Amino acid sequence: MAMQANPMSAVAAVPFDYTRAMEYLIDVVQDLSLARDLDHVIRIVRHAARMLTGADGASFILRDGDQCYYADEEAIGPLWKGLRLPMRVCVGGWVMTNRTPVVIDDIFADSRITVDFYRPTFVRSLAMVPIRTVDPVGAIGNYWSYTYTPTVEQVRILQALADMTAVALENVQLYGSLERRVRERTAALVAENERVHMLSLTDDLTGLFNRRGFMVLAARQLRVARRALGNAWVLMADMDGLKPVNDTFGHDAGDKLLCAAARVLRSSSRDLDIVARIGGDEFAIFGAGEQSPAGLVERVQGAIDLHNMREEKGLKLSMSMGLEYCEPTHDTSLESMLTRADKAMYAIKGVRSGRGMRGTWS
């Protein structure tokens, strides 16, 4: 677009073509409509501001409290990129405070100019417009290296760019807000899905895994143990005398005893072991790895004894246990391990009272 001014003389400058500038502005508006972040908006605007007027430089200024932040620039020489200047000493601040454009054809002859800020630069003339005339959020500056008075049409086209920039900034803010809400909503949905998934694997009463959770997670650990040529084991535990407790003291008392059994089994196991209530008064623990389950039955029994010592209402906990231990092969299945552990448990289960019967090895 041939709209560059002749640096030798404002009089000899190439005439400003308003129609071509408007055609260019339409392309800029389309680009701004696709911008999704502040940096993208700034890159578009800093270049368009210079091209639309034929200026030697352009700056993009944002309001930051009581300061003008020179966010970016495109110019024949360095200006003030990255600086924060007080609103009261900055032309950008004057434009935002007064909410109106300004044209200064000689920076050394205008009282609004802090000359010391301009001496190191090439600037001799400028035009600046606010970004959003109601409560401005920034400003766009154009600079010339020679004495020049921008035309009314040039200032008007620059203000039109600023108005489109204000819309783009609002869109970026809205897009960012929507994007943030989508991320938050997605995270909430993921968390809720995980919660629902865990609920589907968890026993409501005891907080342990339910049968489905046990089968899913234990099968996964069994596959790992099989690949690592490690060991695996299953402990089956069945509460003794739960029905009489329910019949005599009510189901609330029975539920309390089930929860006590869950705490006993959980406290006797490692963090990585799968502890589950697989149905009614039956519980199971699955473990894998190099560590042997030796002593597990004794730990469970010790925890039962400790619970019973603390129990004041006569609701004593008793459990029968069976343990299946193996080095899993390709043919080893979780179902077969459960079956053998269950048989070992029922081999010693009978009518119990007071204390649990120690488990056996299958």
Side-chain angles (χ1 to χ4, degrees), residues 26 29 59 65 69 74 123 132 139 149 151 164 172 179 204 208 213 224-225 237 245 252 261 273 293 305 345 348 351:
I26 290 172
V29 170
S59 61
Y69 171 54
E74 180 174 304
V123 179
R132 202 169 67 187
T149 303
T151 65
M164 294 301 103
V172 164
E179 192 175 48
D204 290 340
L208 300 179
V224 172
V245 170
D252 287 345
D273 294 336
D305 293 342
M345 179 189 69
I348 62 167
V351 178

Side-chain angles (χ1 to χ4, degrees), residues 251-263:
H251 286 277
D252 287 345
D255 288 348
K256 180 180 178 182
L257 206 56
L258 284 166
C259 290
R263 289 193 298 271

Side-chain angles (χ1 to χ4, degrees), residues 215-231:
M215 298 303 292
V216 169
L217 300 175
R220 184 183 304 167
Q221 283 202 16
L222 180 60
R223 289 194 296 271
V224 172
R226 189 182 295 129
R227 289 195 298 268
L229 303 179
N231 301 319

Side-chain angles (χ1 to χ4, degrees), residues 103-111 113 124-126 147-149:
V103 172
I104 300 176
D105 53 12
D106 184 356
I107 64 167
F108 297 109
D110 195 292
S111 61
I113 293 292
R124 291 299 175 267
S125 301
L126 66 82
T147 302
Y148 179 70
T149 303

Side-chain angles (χ1 to χ4, degrees), residues 233-237 265 283-285 296-297 300 321-324 341:
W233 47 267
V234 170
L235 174 79
M236 288 290 295
L265 295 173
F283 296 83
I285 304 175
L296 175 61
V297 173
V300 173
M321 293 168 278
L323 184 65
E324 164 65 9

Side-chain angles (χ1 to χ4, degrees), residues 138-158:
I140 300 172
N142 271 175
Y143 311 97
W144 287 265
S145 59
Y146 50 93
T147 302
Y148 179 70
T149 303
T151 65
V152 172
E153 288 80 9
Q154 284 176 305
V155 176
R156 186 179 299 162
I157 204 81
L158 191 61

Side-chain angles (χ1 to χ4, degrees), residues 23 80 101 133 202 286:
E23 291 173 351
W80 309 278
T133 53
T202 305
F286 179 91

